[in-house]
Amino acid sequence: MTEHELMICRCEEVTYKELIETASEYGCSARELKLRTRAGMGYCGGRTCRALVDKVTRDLEKDNRSQITLKYQPPIRPISFGNLGGESNE
């Protein structure tokens, strides 16, 4: 496997090659790269790939001062206080 075949976002199946090609073609910020490729928009909310998507855009961008990184948003699942404390609701 070459580095271009490396899977960066497992949830959305986005490869390193796809990130590089998209960022080079459109001159993307990290946010735009995320929207164009869906990297970081999967089930995990970008916990595994966010830093790598930021790095790709940072490495390709000429002026790093204007770089806006992706925010971290963990997946949220509602849970009742009873379930959290181990008590039944009955």
Side-chain angles (χ1 to χ4, degrees):
M1 179 189 323
T2 66
E3 75 175 17
H4 291 289
E5 297 169 348
L6 184 65
M7 190 69 61
I8 300 297
C9 178
R10 294 177 292 176
C11 299
E12 294 294 327
E13 298 181 355
V14 179
T15 62
Y16 179 75
K17 179 181 179 182
E18 186 178 352
L19 289 175
I20 294 293
E21 288 175 351
T22 303
S24 297
E25 182 176 347
Y26 297 102
C28 298
S29 66
R31 177 161 167 66
E32 185 180 358
L33 187 59
K34 174 184 173 181
L35 294 173
R36 288 186 179 275
T37 63
R38 294 201 44 83
M41 297 176 78
Y43 183 73
C44 79
R47 286 188 296 175
T48 59
C49 64
R50 181 178 51 93
L52 293 170
V53 173
D54 282 342
K55 183 176 180 350
V56 166
T57 55
R58 197 171 44 247
D59 290 349
L60 293 176
E61 192 174 74
K62 293 173 183 70
D63 182 12
N64 287 332
R65 292 173 291 155
S66 65
Q67 179 69 349
I68 299 171
T69 61
L70 295 175
K71 69 177 185 173
Y72 176 71
Q73 183 172 339
I76 298 173
R77 302 283 182 258
I79 185 169
S80 70
F81 285 114
N83 287 340
L84 187 62
E87 298 176 13
S88 67
N89 292 333
E90 298 172 17

